[in-house]
């Protein structure tokens, strides 16, 4: 806005916008409720995943392998690394070793 209180060319006139009645504004678009049931798709997805894993897939063996990998990953830590690890475990960022809920 210029020093004389008038809008410069190309600038919006703020006083005109403030004095415009609210009825000049278009009504907001109506909302539409949309419900999509993906249950059948989820069942099909799970069937495809199990089919891709094959008949030899052993979930208990997989969990045991993951536990062994975590034990190896966090073994042999220096004193400083162990301190950081303990802080992360107590903060809930990392799971506690050996205390998993995995099936034995």
């Amino acid at each position: 806005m210029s020093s004389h209180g008038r809008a410069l060319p190309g600038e919006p006139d703020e006083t005109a916008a403030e004095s415009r009645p609210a009825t000049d504004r278009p009504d907001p678009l109506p909302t539409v409720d949309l419900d999509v049931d993906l249950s059948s798709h989820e069942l099909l997805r799970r069937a495809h995943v199990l089919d891709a894993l094959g008949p030899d897939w052993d979930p208990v063996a997989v969990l045991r392998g993951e536990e062994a990998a975590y034990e190896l990953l966090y073994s042999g830590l220096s004193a400083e690394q162990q301190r950081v690890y303990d802080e992360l475990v107590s903060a809930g960022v990392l799971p506690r070793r050996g205390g998993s809920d995995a099936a034995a």
Side-chain angles (χ1 to χ4, degrees), residues 43-57 59:
L43 290 174
L44 181 61
R45 186 195 67 81
R46 288 181 185 186
H48 285 299
V49 167
L50 291 174
D51 187 43
L53 290 171
D56 297 331
W57 180 64

Side-chain angles (χ1 to χ4, degrees), residues 10-69:
E11 287 186 353
D13 186 359
E14 294 172 6
T15 57
E18 291 172 4
S19 64
R20 193 177 314 139
T23 57
D24 287 350
R25 297 185 193 133
D27 291 333
L29 295 175
T31 59
V32 176
D33 290 335
L34 180 64
D35 294 327
V36 178
D37 184 8
L38 297 175
S39 301
S40 63
H41 177 72
E42 177 61 15
L43 290 174
L44 181 61
R45 186 195 67 81
R46 288 181 185 186
H48 285 299
V49 167
L50 291 174
D51 187 43
L53 290 171
D56 297 331
W57 180 64
D58 182 4
V60 174
V62 170
L63 290 174
R64 285 185 184 143
E66 286 182 10
E67 282 296 316

Side-chain angles (χ1 to χ4, degrees), residues 61-75 97:
V62 170
L63 290 174
R64 285 185 184 143
E66 286 182 10
E67 282 296 316
Y70 279 116
E71 287 295 322
L72 183 60
L73 178 65
Y74 295 116
S75 66
R97 284 188 288 182

